Amino acid sequence: MAVIENQNSGSWLKKQWPWWTAGLMTATAEVINYTLLPLGHPKHKFVGVTSGMARMLAGVESTLFGHSLIATKPDYQPAIQWVIIGALIAALVMAWLEGEMRSWVRYPKGTLIATAFGAFFFAWGTRVAGGCTLHHLLGGWAAMNLKSWVVMIVATIGALIAFILLRKLNLSQYFKSQETKWFVEEAKNRGWADGLALGDSTKPTMLSMILYVVLGVILLVVIYMAFAGNSYAIKMGWAESLAKTKIAHGMLTGGNIGNIIMLVIVGALLGSAVAKTGFGTECGIINFELGREMEKGEDVGANRWGMPYSLRTVMLSYQPLGALALHIAIVATVMAIGFTFFNIMEGHHWASEAFAANYVGPEFHTVGISAHSIRVQTTLPMDLFGGFLLGFGTVLMLGCEFRNYGRTGLLYVTGLLIWPFFYVGYLPYTLARDFWDGLMASTPYAPSTFVPALIAPGSKAVQSIIWFLWAAFWLWVFFWTLRRGAKNVGVQPQDLLSMNSEDMYVARLNKLEKEGKLDHIDEIERDLYRQTQKL
């Protein structure tokens, strides 16, 4: 039996990229945002898109209907999130250059229903956890932010539980890092589970057409707001004039063009990382646990977890974790340098008055327990509840928030589906702000979110050393993933630096053929295919 022929050749624009490039691109986006934005007056915060998404949908809602269920308080007044726009545009351009939009990918109703619920849970989780997985993992984890650590540890548990649920529903076969048509066609010809995503027709479905219209309306209103603004904040008494509204900073005026371009570049780096590798925080946070499971054997990966060959290979390669590790190593190093030599403190570290009095180093962003700092405090019920919702939702919707913005640009139906259900997911919080804010302010469990300051509150030098050691640890993790992944795939560590997912599929098949295991792989994949076909 012949091994699948690698059709993943051509120029670098025509094929997917190695996973580590995603870590480099997302880290570059994070560093730009941290060091430069807003231009001339940087706030030194890591990238966050979910509040911007809520404000953007509030703007669309209030423009179309004259009222808003999201913009219920001044901090949620209409605005434009140019990072998201940049991610959409970049993913669309990358897919066009590659010659492969993903509108051909088909999912069963069960997967679409799971995606809708996942988007709802995820959006709700972003509000009560004080940020999305992009914010907490790609920013807060590198910044040694205790709140982000707690949120993401619980998110990992939620993500694994969601994956178990998908398996129980016989839907885990559809969880992939990225589909490329040539491999899916090959898999379908062999009767493999990876071929399930290839529908009988490439024409858009009725659902896709409806979602195209929804997204088109949203983007048209955003363009209108970029030129004309939105008077909702003035109508509600939150601002005296358009110039004093949040949306004024995102409008296409001369004074804003530089910042808007930089925000689009940040988004483009994130969207390109998704489009060219399939990277998302959901794969990174569960990679270590599921990679160890896959190392127990093909039967464990297929029977216990329902993973198709492509996902088993990606998890065995440890490259999602590798991309995440490279990102954290770079961003943590830059933040540690800023902290040590330039007295720059990342903007979401909170401290109580008593703790800040003994702190040595640059100022904390927010000091004191008050209604103004609840979104950055360590608040146990909401960090646990919100973190679980984030992890649970990100797996159900087949990708984290920023990955799905990229998937929207790639024209995945699941990427289109998240938009209306993100809106619905914001409502449990926005319609009961005082209740949720009260919970978030009720039970802080640490006097600061900055872990080095908790370890050595009186010594900036020790804090700096801890931060640099943290960055070094994640650089070590990156090289560990190369060694361990290369062994599992059957190549040399340096080879993984030039191999994308499809290259790894073929390389591992060659390894399995030499070991005489191809017939068993065929049997496993066809059984997974049959299981899903019965459903």
Side-chain angles (χ1 to χ4, degrees), residues 3 74-75 111 124 178 193 221 253 262 304 331 357-358 450 465 481 528:
V3 177
D75 56 333
T111 296
W124 188 9
Q178 191 94 293
V221 175
T253 62
M262 292 300 288
R304 181 185 300 176
V331 175
N358 297 320
F450 187 42
I465 292 171
T481 63
L528 280 175

Side-chain angles (χ1 to χ4, degrees), residues 198-350:
L198 185 64
D200 296 327
S201 172
T202 58
K203 295 181 179 179
T205 64
M206 180 61 71
L207 176 62
S208 295
M209 294 300 293
I210 293 172
L211 294 173
Y212 286 144
V213 172
V214 171
L215 182 62
V217 169
I218 291 173
L219 295 179
L220 284 174
V221 175
V222 169
I223 292 172
Y224 169 80
M225 291 192 300
F227 289 97
N230 183 297
S231 61
Y232 190 75
I234 302 171
K235 172 184 172 182
M236 296 298 292
W238 297 332
E240 299 173 2
S241 65
L242 182 63
K244 294 184 179 180
T245 61
K246 288 185 181 295
I247 201 168
H249 300 290
M251 292 175 62
L252 291 169
T253 62
N256 295 334
I257 294 298
N259 277 317
I260 289 173
I261 290 173
M262 292 300 288
L263 288 169
V264 170
I265 289 173
V266 168
L269 287 165
L270 295 172
S272 298
V274 172
K276 298 305 290 184
T277 68
F279 176 66
T281 55
E282 80 293 336
C283 283
I285 64 175
I286 62 176
N287 190 181
F288 182 71
E289 293 84 357
L290 291 186
R292 293 175 65 208
E293 283 286 288
M294 298 310 102
E295 289 178 340
K296 295 177 182 177
E298 301 292 335
D299 294 278
V300 171
N303 297 328
R304 181 185 300 176
W305 295 95
M307 289 190 184
Y309 172 79
S310 64
L311 186 57
R312 295 201 305 274
T313 299
V314 167
M315 289 298 170
L316 279 168
S317 75
Y318 288 102
Q319 292 314 287
L321 176 59
L324 177 62
L326 182 61
H327 170 100
I328 294 174
I330 294 172
V331 175
T333 299
V334 171
M335 288 182 173
I337 290 172
F339 172 80
T340 304
F341 301 106
F342 301 98
N343 271 2
I344 294 173
M345 188 63 173
E346 192 282 321
H348 280 79
H349 286 110
W350 160 88

Side-chain angles (χ1 to χ4, degrees), residues 118-131:
F120 170 80
F121 289 133
F122 188 90
W124 188 9
T126 66
R127 299 305 78 219
V128 296

